[in-house]
Amino acid sequence: MKTVITYGTFDLLHVGHIRLLKRARSLGDKLIVGLSTDAFNAKKGKNAIFSYDARREILMALRLVDDVFAEEDWEQKRRDIRQHNAQILAMGDDWAGKFDELSDITEVVYLPRTEAVSTTEIKTVISKITEEKLQTLDRAIEHIAKISKELR
Ligand code: C2G
């Protein structure tokens, strides 16, 4: 039984996250996720729209994910990898090189990020929308769906 471990905020879950989780899951038999708590997000300078509990519920609903636990600080990975006997740590390649020091206890794999989509980008699109712009919402959604389709 090969366990893969990954970490993240996974706010406003989108196709970039899904592709990362799919690729990570395909490396083993089980995928567990260290989900950044709201407090740790603050340390990362992130302000998630969805609470930790909501983000956890969403990830737990995915067939791809076998378990979700709290990520509360930068230092816990070594302990988590040992505790969960994770043979692979998989992260998006925006983290390339950052976790190599863990390669003495697990295989560290950096997976290609999905460009053109990010939680920040989604938030920016939404925050620009005012009452008057609601009728343009359909066009924005169609446009995002087209990009996402082109990315498949
Ligand atoms: N990701 C991706 N493509 C995107 C966006 C994100 O492949 N368009 C990947 C990231 O590389 C990361 C995972 O999805 O591996 C989760 O991304 P975030 O929720 O942004 O998490 P992050 O802030 O990178 O947290 O200790 C590690 C940190 O908790 C990682």
Side-chain angles (χ1 to χ4, degrees):
M1 169 69 85
K2 188 180 275 190
T3 299
V4 184
I5 193 168
T6 190
Y7 291 82
T9 298
F10 294 101
D11 191 31
L12 301 183
L13 203 69
H14 54 65
V15 69
H17 295 135
I18 294 296
R19 286 193 185 144
L20 184 282
L21 293 169
K22 264 186 198 165
R23 289 171 184 149
R25 175 67 183 74
S26 71
L27 298 171
D29 311 294
K30 188 177 167 192
L31 174 61
I32 58 176
V33 180
L35 184 63
S36 306
T37 59
D38 299 332
F40 184 50
N41 274 330
K43 284 187 207 161
K44 293 200 298 187
K46 283 197 162 185
N47 179 18
I49 298 278
F50 290 146
S51 68
Y52 171 82
D53 289 343
R55 290 180 285 116
R56 183 178 193 281
E57 187 174 342
I58 291 167
L59 286 181
M60 285 301 284
L62 298 178
R63 204 168 5 94
L64 288 164
V65 174
D66 294 282
D67 200 13
V68 177
F69 59 92
E71 179 190 29
E72 295 169 292
D73 58 53
W74 292 111
E75 293 72 39
Q76 69 183 75
K77 292 185 179 68
R78 188 169 286 275
R79 186 183 69 239
D80 297 340
I81 288 165
R82 285 211 171 99
Q83 187 183 330
H84 297 285
N85 187 26
Q87 286 90 343
I88 297 177
L89 166 64
M91 293 298 295
D93 60 11
D94 46 317
W95 292 95
K98 298 285 190 316
F99 303 118
D100 291 356
E101 82 274 3
L102 295 167
S103 56
D104 59 328
I105 59 166
T106 192
E107 184 187 350
V108 182
V109 176
Y110 300 105
L111 299 164
R113 237 182 105 87
T114 302
E115 293 317 320
V117 66
S118 72
T119 304
T120 315
E121 212 162 291
I122 295 168
K123 280 184 186 174
T124 307
V125 167
I126 293 172
S127 65
K128 280 189 186 135
I129 290 171
T130 62
E131 205 48 44
E132 296 77 28
K133 290 188 183 171
L134 275 180
Q135 65 273 19
T136 61
L137 186 59
D138 289 345
R139 276 205 309 277
I141 289 171
E142 275 158 33
H143 182 59
I144 291 169
K146 187 167 159 291
I147 293 176
S148 152
K149 209 161 149 225
E150 284 164 15
L151 285 172
R152 269 197 197 98

